[in-house]
Amino acid sequence: MKVQETLAVLREHFPGEELYFQAVGEVLSTIEDEYNKHPEFEAANLVERLCVPDRIVTFRVTWVDDKGKVQTNMGYRVQHSNAIGPYKGGLRFHPSVNLSTLKFLAFEQTFKNALTTLPMGGAKGGSDFNPKGKSDNEVMHFCQAFMTELWHNIGAETDVPAGDIGVGAREVGYLFGMYKKLTRNFEGVLTGKGLDFGGSLIRPEATGYGNIYFLQEMLKTRGIDIKDKVCLVSGSGNVAQFTVQKCIQLGAKPVTMSDSNGYIYDPAGIDEEKLAFIMELKNVRRGRIKEYAEKYGCKYVAGAAPWYEKGDIALPCATQNELNGEHARALVANGCIAVSEGANMPSTPEAVETFQGAKLLYAPGKASNAGGVSVSGLEMTQNSYKLGWSAEKVDKKLKSIMQNIHASCVKYGTRPDGYIDYVKGANVAGFIKVANAMMAQGVI
Ligand code: NDP
Ligand code: 2IT
């Protein structure tokens, strides 16, 4: 397999899908050596089947807003691979969503899910619908309209969606309700459900907690404790909130959070009480992070990300490509020792190169944010058993999964000089599992 040739073929077939090329390029360049050790992979042209999704469903979503105006959005589900289990991955509702975004996310999800060691394939879906400023009623009507198309393509043993940007407990509830209405089936077709109807304890916390459990494993390789470390966090949604909560529980000091309008910098540290304010602000009132600065009298910087502030650890938890080369150089210059990604592909290729060049501990999202989908997998198991596990049990399993993912990265990513390339480690470990399953199942 030649990475550039493969990318050229993809570019010709799918013009303009830059995020997808970025994700594919990163994975292929790190698995090339492993792939080329297996002439049977090339003989089966495995690489093309690995990069091109099994299926893409595209549909129109029509709904009526509170003013009685008929609105149209696009809906998608990218089913990338079910080689090791049913398609699995979140739904994103954000105006920037297009096929390139969802193809990159579904591709990444396939390797991430393989890393968890749970039986889950990879998928992603969503819509260009913008939930911001919409009433509950409008969000419900949109979710119902979205599901009237999506339900044909999903099922507890076929494809199990969950949340992502713009899709949280509220949206999953509405989506689940409509699926049940249409099919008359009460089944684990979505994860991230409410606790009263099949959800798992610790699923809301899982991505953020898992991110910090992974970070702790990385720090351990250098004998460093997270206690008292100053953490720069971006985002203020699900992943950022529980990343911050776990930092606080472990005695670290998170000093920033952000949204798409700007970031707050609180040198005194965000504590449990301040985090509770953010959770109410973001999850109930759906307001802007600027209010935090007004309430607690700290700095707010509009239209910027927090990466020029001084911190020991950077935890990007907002969105793709939110941390570029210049940001990375600033972090390194300011003495940052570790970067653990809560978001999917938040660091640009130049940023990743900068972190690795400076020998920072750097975890790519597909390893460090895999806790969310892992607990989704545990939710699927609980739904199959028709029972629910305690928070302690789920949290313990989550921690152990994150430790195992870390061990896989060490196994496949340790360089001769001892530096752990977590990007390579995660990609190779995920790839081996998916590739072996595909080979065993024949040319399909
Ligand atoms: P939420 O919708 O709960 O929060 C998203 C946060 O990121 C908000 O603060 C939002 O600000 C900010 N954000 C979104 N888009 C942009 C943008 N274009 N520029 C700047 N800020 C932006 O989503 P999640 O917390 O669930 O997801 C965050 C990241 O984590 C995503 O990359 C997602 O794919 C990834 N992830 C999520 C998992 C989960 O279980 N939820 C699991 C694994 C990964 P604003 O409100 O202003 O839009
Ligand atoms: O990117 C992700 O891993 C998620 N948004 C969670 C997917 C899931 O199925 O829980």
Side-chain angles (χ1 to χ4, degrees):
M1 182 246 296
K2 296 267 187 299
V3 174
Q4 291 314 322
E5 284 170 19
T6 309
L7 278 175
V9 171
L10 294 178
R11 280 184 183 280
E12 198 181 315
H13 279 82
F14 310 111
E17 297 186 352
E18 294 306 322
L19 287 171
Y20 171 59
F21 303 143
Q22 184 183 330
V24 171
E26 180 220 86
V27 169
L28 294 190
S29 62
T30 52
I31 63 165
E32 188 176 19
D33 291 347
E34 184 65 30
Y35 186 95
N36 289 334
K37 283 185 205 155
H38 299 268
E40 70 276 17
F41 289 173
E42 188 64 7
N45 198 3
L46 201 70
V47 67
E48 282 187 10
R49 282 187 286 145
L50 205 64
C51 296
V52 179
D54 288 356
R55 189 172 303 101
I56 298 176
V57 188
T58 304
F59 47 91
R60 173 170 53 77
V61 186
T62 296
W63 57 284
V64 183
D65 70 19
D66 287 349
K67 296 194 183 89
K69 189 170 170 240
V70 178
Q71 300 266 5
T72 299
N73 288 99
M74 290 310 298
Y76 311 91
R77 186 72 178 163
V78 178
Q79 296 178 331
H80 190 87
S81 166
N82 63 355
I84 62 172
Y87 299 109
K88 179 84 195 88
L91 296 172
R92 179 176 291 192
F93 293 169
H94 193 272
S96 66
V97 163
N98 57 33
L99 261 189
S100 174
T101 323
L102 299 177
K103 280 174 71 176
F104 118 64
L105 289 162
F107 175 82
E108 291 279 288
Q109 196 82 46
T110 301
F111 295 90
K112 182 197 302 187
N113 293 2
L115 271 177
T116 68
T117 68
L118 301 174
M120 300 181 289
K124 202 87 187 189
S127 173
D128 57 5
F129 172 72
N130 186 0
K132 246 180 240 147
K134 302 287 192 300
S135 68
D136 262 5
N137 196 46
E138 288 175 321
V139 169
M140 181 178 76
H141 283 130
F142 174 79
C143 289
Q144 291 176 338
F146 183 84
M147 189 51 85
T148 57
E149 281 292 330
L150 185 68
W151 76 275
H152 294 283
N153 305 287
I154 60 175
E157 307 293 339
T158 320
D159 182 350
V160 183
D164 194 77
I165 292 177
V167 178
R170 172 181 64 167
E171 291 74 18
V172 169
Y174 293 147
L175 291 162
F176 182 77
M178 197 61 186
Y179 180 86
K180 194 166 57 71
K181 171 102 180 160
L182 291 163
T183 61
R184 301 182 185 183
N185 234 355
F186 193 108
E187 60 179 53
V189 65
L190 289 145
T191 58
K193 298 184 292 296
L195 281 180
D196 298 324
F197 54 98
S200 174
L201 285 162
I202 304 293
R203 177 62 189 88
E205 294 87 348
T207 312
Y209 281 17
N211 185 21
I212 300 303
Y213 294 152
F214 194 92
L215 170 68
Q216 282 185 293
E217 291 302 301
M218 289 204 293
L219 292 172
K220 237 190 252 171
T221 66
R222 295 192 183 173
I224 301 169
D225 195 326
I226 189 172
K227 195 165 178 305
D228 297 329
K229 294 285 171 295
V230 174
C231 300
L232 305 175
V233 180
S234 66
S236 49
N238 172 268
V239 179
Q241 290 170 16
F242 290 102
T243 290
V244 165
Q245 185 165 77
K246 188 50 77 178
C247 284
I248 298 168
Q249 287 171 5
L250 295 171
K253 190 181 181 192
V255 293
T256 68
M257 287 183 89
S258 69
D259 61 23
S260 52
N261 293 103
Y263 76 90
I264 56 108
Y265 174 65
D266 184 350
I270 301 167
D271 58 19
E272 275 290 0
E273 187 212 309
K274 292 170 177 174
L275 179 61
F277 171 81
I278 287 175
M279 287 183 172
E280 199 266 335
L281 170 70
K282 287 289 168 185
N283 309 347
V284 182
R285 287 193 285 128
R286 298 179 194 275
R288 311 309 300 159
I289 198 75
K290 188 169 189 265
E291 263 194 52
Y292 178 101
E294 286 156 7
K295 181 165 170 70
Y296 295 106
C298 72
K299 178 165 102 173
Y300 171 73
V301 184
W307 313 126
Y308 296 114
E309 301 294 346
K310 196 169 161 50
D312 303 307
I313 293 166
L315 301 160
C317 298
T319 193
Q320 62 274 359
N321 290 337
E322 56 164 313
L323 198 167
N324 62 28
E326 199 185 302
H327 296 137
R329 286 188 287 278
L331 285 168
V332 171
N334 277 329
C336 178
I337 53 170
V339 182
S340 194
E341 297 183 340
N344 284 306
M345 208 167 76
S347 307
T348 64
E350 194 189 343
V352 177
E353 213 181 299
T354 305
F355 294 142
Q356 294 192 327
K359 299 277 170 75
L360 260 63
L361 295 166
Y362 165 70
K366 72 165 75 65
S368 45
N369 74 31
V373 76
S374 297
V375 175
S376 279
L378 301 179
E379 182 173 330
M380 289 164 72
T381 308
Q382 293 169 75
N383 290 168
S384 308
Y385 284 170
K386 294 190 164 42
L387 51 75
W389 294 335
S390 68
E392 292 71 28
K393 178 165 175 164
V394 179
D395 194 33
K396 205 167 153 217
K397 282 181 183 288
L398 167 64
K399 196 179 271 180
S400 143
I401 290 170
M402 298 314 295
Q403 287 169 342
N404 288 336
I405 295 174
H406 184 269
S408 294
C409 292
V410 171
K411 178 172 174 191
Y412 293 105
T414 305
R415 291 181 184 164
D417 67 357
Y419 178 70
I420 304 163
D421 178 347
Y422 287 91
V423 179
K424 182 175 181 192
N427 288 341
V428 171
F431 161 72
I432 288 174
K433 182 163 178 175
V434 178
N436 286 341
M438 288 173 76
M439 290 302 289
Q441 293 169 26
V443 178
I444 48 171

